[in-house]
Short mmCIF file of all heavy atoms in Angstrom, two decimals:
data_model
loop_
_atom_site.label_atom_id
_atom_site.label_comp_id
_atom_site.label_asym_id
_atom_site.label_seq_id
_atom_site.Cartn_x
_atom_site.Cartn_y
_atom_site.Cartn_z
N VAL B 442 -63.59 28.69 -13.42
CA VAL B 442 -64.91 29.25 -13.58
C VAL B 442 -65.92 28.01 -13.64
O VAL B 442 -67.03 28.05 -13.07
CB VAL B 442 -65.09 30.28 -14.73
CG1 VAL B 442 -66.52 30.72 -14.87
CG2 VAL B 442 -64.16 31.32 -14.52
N ASN B 443 -65.60 27.10 -14.49
CA ASN B 443 -66.48 25.96 -14.69
C ASN B 443 -66.72 25.16 -13.35
O ASN B 443 -67.79 24.77 -13.08
CB ASN B 443 -65.77 25.03 -15.67
CG ASN B 443 -66.87 24.18 -16.56
OD1 ASN B 443 -67.98 24.76 -16.55
ND2 ASN B 443 -66.47 23.09 -17.00
N ASN B 444 -65.51 25.06 -12.45
CA ASN B 444 -65.76 24.44 -11.24
C ASN B 444 -66.76 25.27 -10.40
O ASN B 444 -67.62 24.79 -9.71
CB ASN B 444 -64.46 24.53 -10.58
CG ASN B 444 -63.65 23.17 -10.83
OD1 ASN B 444 -64.22 22.23 -11.34
ND2 ASN B 444 -62.40 23.17 -10.47
N ALA B 445 -66.53 26.64 -10.40
CA ALA B 445 -67.48 27.37 -9.60
C ALA B 445 -68.94 27.21 -9.98
O ALA B 445 -69.79 27.15 -9.15
CB ALA B 445 -67.18 29.04 -9.85
N ILE B 446 -69.15 26.95 -11.31
CA ILE B 446 -70.50 26.68 -11.76
C ILE B 446 -70.95 25.44 -11.21
O ILE B 446 -71.99 25.22 -10.64
CB ILE B 446 -70.59 26.80 -13.31
CG1 ILE B 446 -70.37 28.31 -13.91
CG2 ILE B 446 -72.08 26.39 -13.82
CD1 ILE B 446 -70.12 28.34 -15.35
N LYS B 447 -70.11 24.29 -11.48
CA LYS B 447 -70.44 23.03 -11.10
C LYS B 447 -70.87 22.81 -9.57
O LYS B 447 -71.65 22.14 -9.24
CB LYS B 447 -69.28 21.97 -11.34
CG LYS B 447 -69.32 21.68 -12.84
CD LYS B 447 -68.50 20.33 -12.99
CE LYS B 447 -66.84 20.50 -12.81
NZ LYS B 447 -66.20 19.28 -13.10
N TYR B 448 -69.94 23.56 -8.72
CA TYR B 448 -70.13 23.44 -7.37
C TYR B 448 -71.02 24.47 -6.76
O TYR B 448 -71.02 24.57 -5.43
CB TYR B 448 -68.76 23.30 -6.64
CG TYR B 448 -68.01 22.02 -7.06
CD1 TYR B 448 -67.09 22.04 -8.08
CD2 TYR B 448 -68.32 20.70 -6.42
CE1 TYR B 448 -66.47 20.86 -8.48
CE2 TYR B 448 -67.64 19.65 -6.79
CZ TYR B 448 -66.73 19.72 -7.94
OH TYR B 448 -66.07 18.42 -8.30
N SER B 449 -71.74 25.15 -7.67
CA SER B 449 -72.82 26.00 -7.02
C SER B 449 -74.19 25.47 -7.65
O SER B 449 -74.77 26.17 -8.55
CB SER B 449 -72.60 27.51 -7.48
OG SER B 449 -71.33 27.79 -7.10
N PRO B 450 -74.56 24.27 -7.21
CA PRO B 450 -75.74 23.64 -7.90
C PRO B 450 -77.03 24.57 -7.88
O PRO B 450 -77.85 24.34 -8.63
CB PRO B 450 -75.82 22.37 -7.09
CG PRO B 450 -75.15 22.47 -5.93
CD PRO B 450 -74.11 23.48 -6.22
N ASP B 451 -77.08 25.36 -6.81
CA ASP B 451 -78.31 26.16 -6.57
C ASP B 451 -78.22 27.45 -7.45
O ASP B 451 -79.04 28.27 -7.28
CB ASP B 451 -78.58 26.57 -5.17
CG ASP B 451 -78.77 25.13 -4.48
OD1 ASP B 451 -79.19 24.22 -5.08
OD2 ASP B 451 -78.38 25.19 -3.24
N GLY B 452 -77.12 27.62 -8.21
CA GLY B 452 -77.01 28.91 -8.99
C GLY B 452 -76.52 30.04 -8.20
O GLY B 452 -75.93 29.84 -6.99
N GLY B 453 -76.59 31.20 -8.67
CA GLY B 453 -76.04 32.43 -7.98
C GLY B 453 -74.93 33.14 -8.71
O GLY B 453 -74.67 32.86 -9.83
N ASP B 454 -74.40 34.27 -8.11
CA ASP B 454 -73.40 34.98 -8.77
C ASP B 454 -72.07 34.40 -8.73
O ASP B 454 -71.58 33.75 -7.77
CB ASP B 454 -73.31 36.41 -8.17
CG ASP B 454 -74.54 37.22 -8.36
OD1 ASP B 454 -75.41 36.81 -9.18
OD2 ASP B 454 -74.61 38.35 -7.73
N ILE B 455 -71.37 34.54 -9.79
CA ILE B 455 -69.95 34.17 -9.85
C ILE B 455 -69.10 35.34 -10.28
O ILE B 455 -69.35 35.92 -11.39
CB ILE B 455 -69.75 33.05 -10.81
CG1 ILE B 455 -70.29 31.72 -10.18
CG2 ILE B 455 -68.14 32.83 -11.19
CD1 ILE B 455 -70.48 30.48 -11.25
N THR B 456 -68.45 35.95 -9.35
CA THR B 456 -67.68 37.13 -9.61
C THR B 456 -66.17 36.92 -9.96
O THR B 456 -65.53 36.24 -9.32
CB THR B 456 -67.68 38.07 -8.40
OG1 THR B 456 -69.09 38.14 -7.89
CG2 THR B 456 -67.25 39.45 -8.72
N ILE B 457 -65.84 37.46 -11.13
CA ILE B 457 -64.41 37.42 -11.55
C ILE B 457 -63.82 38.72 -11.30
O ILE B 457 -64.33 39.66 -12.05
CB ILE B 457 -64.27 36.88 -13.03
CG1 ILE B 457 -64.92 35.57 -13.24
CG2 ILE B 457 -62.62 36.68 -13.20
CD1 ILE B 457 -64.95 35.19 -14.69
N GLN B 458 -62.94 38.85 -10.56
CA GLN B 458 -62.29 40.31 -10.17
C GLN B 458 -60.75 40.21 -10.59
O GLN B 458 -60.05 39.21 -10.26
CB GLN B 458 -62.34 40.56 -8.70
CG GLN B 458 -62.20 41.96 -8.28
CD GLN B 458 -62.40 42.21 -6.89
OE1 GLN B 458 -61.79 41.46 -6.06
NE2 GLN B 458 -63.11 43.27 -6.60
N VAL B 459 -60.43 41.28 -11.26
CA VAL B 459 -58.98 41.32 -11.72
C VAL B 459 -58.45 42.54 -11.30
O VAL B 459 -59.01 43.65 -11.48
CB VAL B 459 -58.86 41.07 -13.20
CG1 VAL B 459 -57.31 41.07 -13.69
CG2 VAL B 459 -59.54 40.04 -13.78
N LYS B 460 -57.37 42.60 -10.44
CA LYS B 460 -56.64 43.87 -9.91
C LYS B 460 -55.16 43.66 -9.93
O LYS B 460 -54.63 42.49 -9.99
CB LYS B 460 -57.26 44.22 -8.64
CG LYS B 460 -57.09 43.29 -7.57
CD LYS B 460 -57.74 43.69 -6.27
CE LYS B 460 -57.59 42.60 -5.16
NZ LYS B 460 -58.40 42.81 -4.10
N GLU B 461 -54.50 44.75 -9.77
CA GLU B 461 -52.96 44.77 -9.58
C GLU B 461 -52.60 45.12 -8.19
O GLU B 461 -53.11 46.09 -7.69
CB GLU B 461 -52.26 45.70 -10.68
CG GLU B 461 -50.82 45.49 -10.69
CD GLU B 461 -50.10 46.56 -11.34
OE1 GLU B 461 -50.69 47.67 -11.88
OE2 GLU B 461 -48.85 46.42 -11.58
N MET B 462 -51.69 44.28 -7.67
CA MET B 462 -51.26 44.47 -6.35
C MET B 462 -49.81 44.05 -6.26
O MET B 462 -49.52 42.84 -6.72
CB MET B 462 -52.08 43.66 -5.25
CG MET B 462 -53.20 44.54 -4.52
SD MET B 462 -54.29 43.46 -3.76
CE MET B 462 -53.17 42.60 -2.63
N LYS B 463 -48.99 44.75 -5.71
CA LYS B 463 -47.63 44.39 -5.35
C LYS B 463 -46.96 43.72 -6.43
O LYS B 463 -46.42 42.61 -6.43
CB LYS B 463 -47.51 43.41 -4.16
CG LYS B 463 -47.90 44.19 -2.66
CD LYS B 463 -47.79 43.03 -1.74
CE LYS B 463 -48.57 43.61 -0.52
NZ LYS B 463 -48.82 42.47 0.45
N SER B 464 -46.80 44.36 -7.72
CA SER B 464 -46.27 43.85 -9.02
C SER B 464 -46.80 42.42 -9.28
O SER B 464 -46.13 41.65 -9.73
CB SER B 464 -44.84 43.68 -8.81
OG SER B 464 -44.24 44.80 -8.35
N ALA B 465 -48.20 42.33 -9.07
CA ALA B 465 -48.84 41.06 -9.47
C ALA B 465 -50.25 41.33 -9.93
O ALA B 465 -50.85 42.23 -9.45
CB ALA B 465 -48.65 39.92 -8.37
N ILE B 466 -50.65 40.41 -10.86
CA ILE B 466 -52.05 40.51 -11.24
C ILE B 466 -52.91 39.42 -10.41
O ILE B 466 -52.48 38.23 -10.33
CB ILE B 466 -52.20 40.17 -12.72
CG1 ILE B 466 -51.35 41.08 -13.52
CG2 ILE B 466 -53.73 40.16 -13.09
CD1 ILE B 466 -51.91 42.45 -13.91
N TYR B 467 -53.90 39.87 -9.63
CA TYR B 467 -54.71 38.89 -8.95
C TYR B 467 -56.15 38.72 -9.62
O TYR B 467 -56.81 39.63 -9.70
CB TYR B 467 -55.01 39.49 -7.51
CG TYR B 467 -53.96 39.55 -6.47
CD1 TYR B 467 -52.65 40.38 -6.78
CD2 TYR B 467 -53.84 38.63 -5.45
CE1 TYR B 467 -51.61 40.13 -5.94
CE2 TYR B 467 -52.79 38.58 -4.55
CZ TYR B 467 -51.65 39.41 -4.79
OH TYR B 467 -50.61 39.36 -3.95
N ILE B 468 -56.20 37.56 -10.08
CA ILE B 468 -57.53 37.16 -10.65
C ILE B 468 -58.24 36.20 -9.69
O ILE B 468 -57.84 35.07 -9.45
CB ILE B 468 -57.29 36.37 -11.92
CG1 ILE B 468 -56.22 37.16 -12.81
CG2 ILE B 468 -58.70 36.13 -12.67
CD1 ILE B 468 -55.76 36.19 -13.88
N SER B 469 -59.37 36.64 -9.15
CA SER B 469 -60.11 35.92 -8.22
C SER B 469 -61.43 35.52 -8.70
O SER B 469 -62.10 36.34 -9.32
CB SER B 469 -60.21 36.58 -6.78
OG SER B 469 -60.72 37.87 -7.05
N VAL B 470 -61.91 34.28 -8.45
CA VAL B 470 -63.18 33.79 -8.88
C VAL B 470 -63.91 33.44 -7.64
O VAL B 470 -63.60 32.46 -6.96
CB VAL B 470 -62.99 32.64 -9.87
CG1 VAL B 470 -64.37 32.07 -10.27
CG2 VAL B 470 -62.14 32.89 -11.10
N GLU B 471 -64.95 34.13 -7.30
CA GLU B 471 -65.71 33.91 -6.19
C GLU B 471 -67.18 33.35 -6.44
O GLU B 471 -67.87 33.83 -7.32
CB GLU B 471 -65.92 35.27 -5.36
CG GLU B 471 -66.54 35.16 -4.05
CD GLU B 471 -66.61 36.45 -3.33
OE1 GLU B 471 -66.04 37.49 -3.91
OE2 GLU B 471 -67.25 36.48 -2.15
N ASP B 472 -67.52 32.31 -5.69
CA ASP B 472 -68.89 31.74 -5.90
C ASP B 472 -69.68 31.69 -4.57
O ASP B 472 -69.02 31.89 -3.51
CB ASP B 472 -68.86 30.28 -6.59
CG ASP B 472 -68.12 29.30 -5.79
OD1 ASP B 472 -68.47 29.13 -4.50
OD2 ASP B 472 -67.17 28.54 -6.22
N ASN B 473 -70.80 31.46 -4.56
CA ASN B 473 -71.61 31.23 -3.35
C ASN B 473 -72.07 29.71 -3.33
O ASN B 473 -73.32 29.62 -2.91
CB ASN B 473 -72.90 32.17 -3.41
CG ASN B 473 -72.50 33.61 -3.59
OD1 ASN B 473 -71.59 34.10 -2.80
ND2 ASN B 473 -72.95 34.23 -4.57
N GLY B 474 -71.23 28.80 -3.68
CA GLY B 474 -71.60 27.51 -3.82
C GLY B 474 -71.45 26.63 -2.59
O GLY B 474 -71.57 27.19 -1.40
N LEU B 475 -71.10 25.44 -2.71
CA LEU B 475 -70.96 24.42 -1.54
C LEU B 475 -69.80 24.62 -0.58
O LEU B 475 -69.97 24.33 0.60
CB LEU B 475 -70.93 22.95 -2.10
CG LEU B 475 -71.92 22.59 -3.06
CD1 LEU B 475 -71.60 21.17 -3.73
CD2 LEU B 475 -73.29 22.46 -2.40
N GLY B 476 -68.85 25.27 -1.09
CA GLY B 476 -67.56 25.44 -0.30
C GLY B 476 -66.85 24.22 -0.04
O GLY B 476 -67.34 23.24 -0.37
N ILE B 477 -65.73 24.40 0.57
CA ILE B 477 -64.93 23.19 0.84
C ILE B 477 -64.58 23.13 2.13
O ILE B 477 -64.18 24.07 2.80
CB ILE B 477 -63.64 23.34 -0.13
CG1 ILE B 477 -63.94 23.56 -1.56
CG2 ILE B 477 -62.82 22.01 0.01
CD1 ILE B 477 -62.93 24.31 -2.33
#
Side-chain angles (χ1 to χ4, degrees):
Chain B
V442 178
N443 211 22
N444 272 348
I446 295 169
K447 275 202 291 187
Y448 293 94
S449 310
D451 302 330
D454 290 351
I455 289 167
T456 310
I457 307 175
Q458 197 182 44
V459 185
K460 60 186 177 188
E461 189 194 2
M462 258 165 61
K463 296 177 191 166
S464 310
I466 304 279
Y467 283 69
I468 310 164
S469 55
V470 178
E471 185 176 357
D472 64 52
N473 304 307
L475 301 173
I477 307 152

